[in-house]
Amino acid sequence: QSYGKQIHYEAATERILTCDDNGKSIHGEEDVEGKWEEGGHLLLKTGITHALEAGVQSLGLTNLCEPRLAGQLFESVQVPSKNRGNAKDVNVLAASAFQPTAVIFVPYRAFFAFKAITSGVTCDAKPTTCWHPSFASMPFFGAAKRAQGQGHCPTDVAQSALLTLWDELRTRHAHVSVIGDVERLTAGILQGATERVLLQIPCVMESH
């Protein structure tokens, strides 16, 4: 937002909310309303909640088999009120004053080195424990189908490493900048940062 961009969050639902061959939810009308605290419903709800907390300007839902579920979803989402007037004005103000004190550099060219590294599946990457037990019962697809072990949720290793690092830095910094192009590593950004991190992607970048 500090670069004048509009932030849109698009949630793809076809992999996590199972539908039958006729495009109907496999859960009945009554069952769905109580499902927002587990499995794919919880995953979708959590993503929408974090997107709203981050101050997105728009939301989208892709391939939602039953549009009525959108109403239930947004009714279940609760974003803490900051009691600071208009929420949109607050977000724009915060973005215009973006001054990162921590910088994560992730060279985007490193992503060209592999198709995907999935935890517990490829490149001897360690398995990832599901952060909610109900996720283990969700259907896997792609490389994740080859995962072994109960309670493990295969994840994209590169994305997971970046999110983990960003979450950890956010406990100490109000603003954290993620930069993928070396040309964006300007003197102004680096001088204002008290922590600078080069994210080393497992199986792609050597540890030393």
mmCIF file of all heavy atoms in Angstrom, residues 72-94:
data_model
loop_
_atom_site.group_PDB
_atom_site.id
_atom_site.type_symbol
_atom_site.label_atom_id
_atom_site.label_comp_id
_atom_site.label_asym_id
_atom_site.label_seq_id
_atom_site.Cartn_x
_atom_site.Cartn_y
_atom_site.Cartn_z
ATOM 1 N N GLN A 72 -22.444 -17.085 5.366
ATOM 2 C CA GLN A 72 -22.079 -17.739 6.625
ATOM 3 C C GLN A 72 -20.618 -17.459 6.984
ATOM 4 O O GLN A 72 -20.283 -17.245 8.147
ATOM 5 C CB GLN A 72 -22.303 -19.240 6.518
ATOM 6 C CG GLN A 72 -23.749 -19.653 6.330
ATOM 7 C CD GLN A 72 -23.895 -21.163 6.234
ATOM 8 O OE1 GLN A 72 -22.941 -21.896 6.460
ATOM 9 N NE2 GLN A 72 -25.088 -21.631 5.915
ATOM 10 N N LEU A 73 -19.762 -17.459 5.953
ATOM 11 C CA LEU A 73 -18.338 -17.217 6.197
ATOM 12 C C LEU A 73 -18.121 -15.848 6.819
ATOM 13 O O LEU A 73 -17.468 -15.726 7.864
ATOM 14 C CB LEU A 73 -17.564 -17.321 4.880
ATOM 15 C CG LEU A 73 -16.120 -16.800 4.900
ATOM 16 C CD1 LEU A 73 -15.279 -17.591 5.894
ATOM 17 C CD2 LEU A 73 -15.524 -16.862 3.507
ATOM 18 N N PHE A 74 -18.672 -14.812 6.207
ATOM 19 C CA PHE A 74 -18.420 -13.459 6.705
ATOM 20 C C PHE A 74 -19.118 -13.197 8.037
ATOM 21 O O PHE A 74 -18.665 -12.373 8.824
ATOM 22 C CB PHE A 74 -18.829 -12.427 5.646
ATOM 23 C CG PHE A 74 -17.925 -12.418 4.450
ATOM 24 C CD1 PHE A 74 -18.384 -12.822 3.219
ATOM 25 C CD2 PHE A 74 -16.593 -12.035 4.581
ATOM 26 C CE1 PHE A 74 -17.549 -12.832 2.113
ATOM 27 C CE2 PHE A 74 -15.746 -12.046 3.484
ATOM 28 C CZ PHE A 74 -16.208 -12.440 2.248
ATOM 29 N N GLU A 75 -20.191 -13.912 8.286
ATOM 30 C CA GLU A 75 -20.834 -13.798 9.595
ATOM 31 C C GLU A 75 -19.957 -14.403 10.686
ATOM 32 O O GLU A 75 -19.997 -13.978 11.842
ATOM 33 C CB GLU A 75 -22.196 -14.497 9.582
ATOM 34 C CG GLU A 75 -23.264 -13.757 8.797
ATOM 35 C CD GLU A 75 -24.569 -14.522 8.762
ATOM 36 O OE1 GLU A 75 -24.612 -15.645 9.338
ATOM 37 O OE2 GLU A 75 -25.543 -14.027 8.162
ATOM 38 N N SER A 76 -19.153 -15.408 10.320
ATOM 39 C CA SER A 76 -18.314 -16.082 11.312
ATOM 40 C C SER A 76 -17.006 -15.353 11.572
ATOM 41 O O SER A 76 -16.331 -15.606 12.573
ATOM 42 C CB SER A 76 -17.995 -17.509 10.842
ATOM 43 O OG SER A 76 -17.113 -17.497 9.724
ATOM 44 N N VAL A 77 -16.641 -14.424 10.673
ATOM 45 C CA VAL A 77 -15.363 -13.708 10.812
ATOM 46 C C VAL A 77 -15.533 -12.541 11.769
ATOM 47 O O VAL A 77 -16.459 -11.747 11.643
ATOM 48 C CB VAL A 77 -14.874 -13.191 9.446
ATOM 49 C CG1 VAL A 77 -13.678 -12.271 9.617
ATOM 50 C CG2 VAL A 77 -14.517 -14.369 8.539
ATOM 51 N N GLN A 78 -14.632 -12.447 12.726
ATOM 52 C CA GLN A 78 -14.648 -11.353 13.688
ATOM 53 C C GLN A 78 -13.264 -10.710 13.736
ATOM 54 O O GLN A 78 -12.301 -11.331 14.166
ATOM 55 C CB GLN A 78 -15.034 -11.845 15.082
ATOM 56 C CG GLN A 78 -16.460 -12.367 15.163
ATOM 57 C CD GLN A 78 -16.833 -12.794 16.571
ATOM 58 O OE1 GLN A 78 -15.992 -12.844 17.457
ATOM 59 N NE2 GLN A 78 -18.102 -13.087 16.781
ATOM 60 N N VAL A 79 -13.192 -9.472 13.284
ATOM 61 C CA VAL A 79 -11.930 -8.729 13.298
ATOM 62 C C VAL A 79 -11.984 -7.716 14.447
ATOM 63 O O VAL A 79 -12.913 -6.920 14.519
ATOM 64 C CB VAL A 79 -11.698 -7.993 11.970
ATOM 65 C CG1 VAL A 79 -10.399 -7.206 12.011
ATOM 66 C CG2 VAL A 79 -11.678 -8.990 10.833
ATOM 67 N N PRO A 80 -11.009 -7.755 15.368
ATOM 68 C CA PRO A 80 -11.023 -6.839 16.511
ATOM 69 C C PRO A 80 -11.109 -5.382 16.073
ATOM 70 O O PRO A 80 -10.398 -4.947 15.167
ATOM 71 C CB PRO A 80 -9.683 -7.130 17.201
ATOM 72 C CG PRO A 80 -9.339 -8.520 16.779
ATOM 73 C CD PRO A 80 -9.852 -8.649 15.374
ATOM 74 N N SER A 81 -11.998 -4.625 16.705
ATOM 75 C CA SER A 81 -12.135 -3.205 16.388
ATOM 76 C C SER A 81 -11.024 -2.411 17.055
ATOM 77 O O SER A 81 -10.686 -2.617 18.213
ATOM 78 C CB SER A 81 -13.498 -2.700 16.881
ATOM 79 O OG SER A 81 -13.597 -1.307 16.714
ATOM 80 N N LYS A 82 -10.455 -1.479 16.304
ATOM 81 C CA LYS A 82 -9.373 -0.653 16.840
ATOM 82 C C LYS A 82 -9.899 0.651 17.440
ATOM 83 O O LYS A 82 -9.157 1.417 18.044
ATOM 84 C CB LYS A 82 -8.369 -0.339 15.724
ATOM 85 C CG LYS A 82 -7.681 -1.600 15.183
ATOM 86 C CD LYS A 82 -6.699 -1.248 14.087
ATOM 87 C CE LYS A 82 -6.017 -2.508 13.539
ATOM 88 N NZ LYS A 82 -5.060 -2.199 12.452
ATOM 89 N N ASN A 83 -11.210 0.896 17.246
ATOM 90 C CA ASN A 83 -11.834 2.097 17.813
ATOM 91 C C ASN A 83 -11.084 3.363 17.437
ATOM 92 O O ASN A 83 -10.826 4.228 18.261
ATOM 93 C CB ASN A 83 -11.939 1.985 19.348
ATOM 94 C CG ASN A 83 -12.809 0.828 19.784
ATOM 95 O OD1 ASN A 83 -13.853 0.575 19.194
ATOM 96 N ND2 ASN A 83 -12.370 0.094 20.799
ATOM 97 N N ARG A 84 -10.705 3.448 16.159
ATOM 98 C CA ARG A 84 -9.947 4.615 15.715
ATOM 99 C C ARG A 84 -10.611 5.243 14.495
ATOM 100 O O ARG A 84 -9.959 5.621 13.537
ATOM 101 C CB ARG A 84 -8.510 4.208 15.366
ATOM 102 C CG ARG A 84 -7.703 3.772 16.561
ATOM 103 C CD ARG A 84 -6.376 3.160 16.138
ATOM 104 N NE ARG A 84 -5.582 4.090 15.342
ATOM 105 C CZ ARG A 84 -4.434 3.752 14.749
ATOM 106 N NH1 ARG A 84 -3.966 2.529 14.869
ATOM 107 N NH2 ARG A 84 -3.754 4.634 14.042
ATOM 108 N N GLY A 85 -11.921 5.344 14.546
ATOM 109 C CA GLY A 85 -12.625 5.970 13.445
ATOM 110 C C GLY A 85 -12.791 5.037 12.270
ATOM 111 O O GLY A 85 -12.895 3.825 12.422
ATOM 112 N N ASN A 86 -12.788 5.609 11.087
ATOM 113 C CA ASN A 86 -12.992 4.817 9.881
ATOM 114 C C ASN A 86 -11.831 3.879 9.648
ATOM 115 O O ASN A 86 -10.683 4.293 9.568
ATOM 116 C CB ASN A 86 -13.155 5.772 8.684
ATOM 117 C CG ASN A 86 -13.528 5.026 7.424
ATOM 118 O OD1 ASN A 86 -12.708 4.339 6.839
ATOM 119 N ND2 ASN A 86 -14.795 5.157 7.021
ATOM 120 N N ALA A 87 -12.128 2.562 9.540
ATOM 121 C CA ALA A 87 -11.062 1.564 9.415
ATOM 122 C C ALA A 87 -10.254 1.777 8.139
ATOM 123 O O ALA A 87 -9.037 1.608 8.126
ATOM 124 C CB ALA A 87 -11.657 0.161 9.428
ATOM 125 N N LYS A 88 -10.922 2.163 7.056
ATOM 126 C CA LYS A 88 -10.201 2.358 5.809
ATOM 127 C C LYS A 88 -9.204 3.503 5.920
ATOM 128 O O LYS A 88 -8.067 3.415 5.465
ATOM 129 C CB LYS A 88 -11.186 2.639 4.673
ATOM 130 C CG LYS A 88 -10.516 2.801 3.314
ATOM 131 C CD LYS A 88 -11.540 3.000 2.223
ATOM 132 C CE LYS A 88 -10.864 3.165 0.867
ATOM 133 N NZ LYS A 88 -11.840 3.378 -0.222
ATOM 134 N N ASP A 89 -9.611 4.619 6.560
ATOM 135 C CA ASP A 89 -8.705 5.743 6.740
ATOM 136 C C ASP A 89 -7.492 5.353 7.562
ATOM 137 O O ASP A 89 -6.370 5.780 7.303
ATOM 138 C CB ASP A 89 -9.430 6.910 7.420
ATOM 139 C CG ASP A 89 -10.491 7.511 6.499
ATOM 140 O OD1 ASP A 89 -10.393 7.301 5.282
ATOM 141 O OD2 ASP A 89 -11.409 8.164 7.018
ATOM 142 N N VAL A 90 -7.705 4.519 8.589
ATOM 143 C CA VAL A 90 -6.603 4.080 9.441
ATOM 144 C C VAL A 90 -5.593 3.284 8.634
ATOM 145 O O VAL A 90 -4.388 3.488 8.739
ATOM 146 C CB VAL A 90 -7.128 3.224 10.619
ATOM 147 C CG1 VAL A 90 -5.967 2.593 11.378
ATOM 148 C CG2 VAL A 90 -7.951 4.096 11.554
ATOM 149 N N ASN A 91 -6.091 2.379 7.780
ATOM 150 C CA ASN A 91 -5.195 1.553 6.987
ATOM 151 C C ASN A 91 -4.381 2.374 6.003
ATOM 152 O O ASN A 91 -3.199 2.159 5.810
ATOM 153 C CB ASN A 91 -5.994 0.489 6.231
ATOM 154 C CG ASN A 91 -6.586 -0.544 7.170
ATOM 155 O OD1 ASN A 91 -6.023 -0.823 8.210
ATOM 156 N ND2 ASN A 91 -7.740 -1.092 6.814
ATOM 157 N N VAL A 92 -5.024 3.342 5.353
ATOM 158 C CA VAL A 92 -4.313 4.180 4.395
ATOM 159 C C VAL A 92 -3.260 5.022 5.105
ATOM 160 O O VAL A 92 -2.148 5.194 4.628
ATOM 161 C CB VAL A 92 -5.303 5.091 3.637
ATOM 162 C CG1 VAL A 92 -4.550 6.099 2.776
ATOM 163 C CG2 VAL A 92 -6.215 4.247 2.761
ATOM 164 N N LEU A 93 -3.596 5.536 6.274
ATOM 165 C CA LEU A 93 -2.645 6.336 7.042
ATOM 166 C C LEU A 93 -1.438 5.512 7.447
ATOM 167 O O LEU A 93 -0.290 5.947 7.332
ATOM 168 C CB LEU A 93 -3.321 6.906 8.291
ATOM 169 C CG LEU A 93 -2.426 7.711 9.248
ATOM 170 C CD1 LEU A 93 -1.877 8.931 8.534
ATOM 171 C CD2 LEU A 93 -3.202 8.136 10.484
ATOM 172 N N ALA A 94 -1.682 4.287 7.915
ATOM 173 C CA ALA A 94 -0.585 3.427 8.329
ATOM 174 C C ALA A 94 0.315 3.088 7.151
ATOM 175 O O ALA A 94 1.532 3.018 7.278
ATOM 176 C CB ALA A 94 -1.138 2.138 8.960
#
